[in-house]
């Protein structure tokens, strides 16, 4: 990767359809590199660890208009911190966590945008709802009126070939349609958070509205 960060950002930004939001995954990347990405036009950043993110957000307070997206596994004892720092939570992975966020959000005066994380295929390395569990929990989730439940997030298991990856992405898109057909008052999904450096082009073909890119922008993160 010999091009600069700014060149890579512009190349990728220009290649994305307008309907797709680029989230630059800045975990393990310095605040200085985030600043550079901001100068290149990025306004959405993804972080997967609360503590690391808090320190970066603090150092970047002077930059206006940033949305911070939490994309890691959220432990319930960090829920308050996550709500204080992040406008988006992509990785809400259980009814219990959703209910806790729903209780805390009004106390903190926030109304977070949420994606529910689903596992389309079994994957012991990841958390998230199975399809059936999610369908079973929808009525309870619909009662979480302090959350803006915007869509689904998924990460395919490692080791799939590209047609299997596409199947996972397509199934996630279909699941959103099935959920919306239930006409629940607080669950009208429109966001599909899927696609990382290795597979974001496939994800976009399957209807992704948000791609989460780290390595392809920031390199191997030794910045
Ligand atoms: C790290 C991470 C990404 C970015 O992955 P790359 O392969 O570096 O693009 C995207 N989503 C999640 C949930 C991640 O943890």
């Amino acid at each position: 990767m010999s091009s600069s960060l700014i060149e890579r950002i512009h190349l990728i930004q220009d290649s994305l359809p307008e309907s797709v939001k680029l989230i630059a995954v800045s975990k393990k990347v310095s605040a200085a590199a985030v600043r550079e990405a901001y100068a290149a036009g990025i306004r959405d950043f993804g972080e997967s660890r609360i503590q690391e993110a808090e320190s970066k957000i603090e150092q970047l307070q002077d930059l206006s208009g940033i949305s911070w997206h939490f994309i890691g596994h959220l432990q319930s004892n960090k829920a308050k911190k996550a709500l204080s720092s992040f406008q988006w939570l992509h990785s809400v992975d259980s009814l219990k966590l959703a209910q806790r966020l729903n209780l805390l959000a009004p106390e903190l005066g926030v109304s977070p945008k949420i994606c529910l994380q689903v596992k389309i295929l079994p994957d012991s390395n990841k958390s998230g709802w199975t399809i059936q569990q999610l369908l079973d929990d929808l009525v309870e989730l619909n009662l979480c009126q302090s959350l803006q439940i915007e869509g689904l997030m998924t990460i395919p298991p490692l080791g799939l070939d590209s047609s299997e990856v596409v199947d996972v992405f397509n199934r996630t898109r279909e699941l959103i349609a099935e959920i919306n057909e239930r006409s629940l008052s607080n669950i009208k999904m429109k966001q599909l958070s899927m696609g990382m450096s290795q597979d974001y082009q496939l994800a976009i073909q399957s209807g992704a509205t948000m791609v989460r890119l780290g390595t392809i922008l920031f390199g191997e993160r030794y910045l």
Side-chain angles (χ1 to χ4, degrees):
M1 235 183 272
S2 56
S3 54
S4 71
L5 173 61
I6 290 179
E7 285 169 335
R8 290 194 297 275
I9 287 172
H10 286 157
L11 268 176
I12 289 179
Q13 200 67 287
D14 291 345
S15 77
L16 298 179
E18 277 199 30
S19 55
V20 177
K21 189 192 283 293
L22 170 57
I23 298 168
V25 176
S26 49
K27 66 184 185 207
K28 303 186 199 161
V29 163
S30 66
V34 172
R35 210 170 265 287
E36 233 185 293
Y38 181 93
I42 301 280
R43 293 295 178 270
D44 292 271
F45 292 93
E47 291 280 339
S48 56
R49 290 177 56 235
I50 298 292
Q51 206 177 352
E52 178 188 337
E54 279 180 332
S55 123
K56 236 176 267 180
I57 291 170
E58 167 86 35
Q59 293 172 65
L60 296 167
Q61 269 178 5
D62 58 305
L63 303 182
S64 62
I66 293 187
S67 291
W68 291 96
H69 299 251
F70 189 73
I71 60 171
H73 175 62
L74 183 56
Q75 294 163 301
S76 63
N77 61 351
K78 303 262 176 75
K80 213 172 216 175
K81 289 187 168 182
L83 288 171
S84 308
S85 295
F86 290 87
Q87 291 72 49
W88 276 87
L89 306 172
H90 289 235
S91 41
V92 175
D93 56 12
S94 71
L95 179 59
K96 216 169 150 228
L97 177 61
Q99 289 172 330
R100 179 162 171 79
L101 293 167
N102 185 57
L103 279 181
L104 291 170
E107 283 175 28
L108 296 165
V110 297
S111 146
K113 293 177 189 285
I114 300 285
C115 291
L116 306 176
Q117 183 171 357
V118 285
K119 287 194 286 193
I120 299 298
L121 296 175
D123 187 345
S124 56
N125 294 317
K126 296 213 171 60
S127 49
W129 276 273
T130 65
I131 294 174
Q132 192 55 52
Q133 285 165 342
L134 181 58
L135 294 173
D136 290 346
D137 283 347
L138 283 176
V139 169
E140 291 288 324
L141 286 164
N142 189 47
L143 300 175
C144 296
Q145 302 275 335
S146 298
L147 307 180
Q148 302 184 58
I149 300 176
E150 293 276 327
L152 297 179
M153 186 273 242
T154 200
I155 307 170
L158 292 175
L160 301 186
D161 67 32
S162 45
S163 77
E164 293 167 325
V165 169
V166 167
D167 288 345
V168 167
F169 290 151
N170 285 339
R171 184 69 188 92
T172 311
R173 188 193 62 235
E174 290 161 11
L175 183 55
I176 281 200
E178 285 167 45
I179 290 169
N180 285 341
E181 274 167 21
R182 306 224 170 167
S183 301
L184 296 160
S185 60
N186 192 40
I187 305 184
K188 306 258 188 296
M189 293 189 170
K190 46 200 177 293
Q191 302 290 343
L192 263 174
S193 170
M194 56 189 198
M196 305 168 42
S197 294
Q198 295 295 332
D199 57 18
Y200 74 98
Q201 283 155 323
L202 300 176
I204 289 170
Q205 284 167 27
S206 296
T209 63
M210 298 192 279
V211 292
R212 308 177 311 270
L213 304 184
T215 311
I216 200 174
L217 299 176
F218 292 109
E220 295 296 339
R221 300 195 168 82
Y222 297 115
L223 300 167

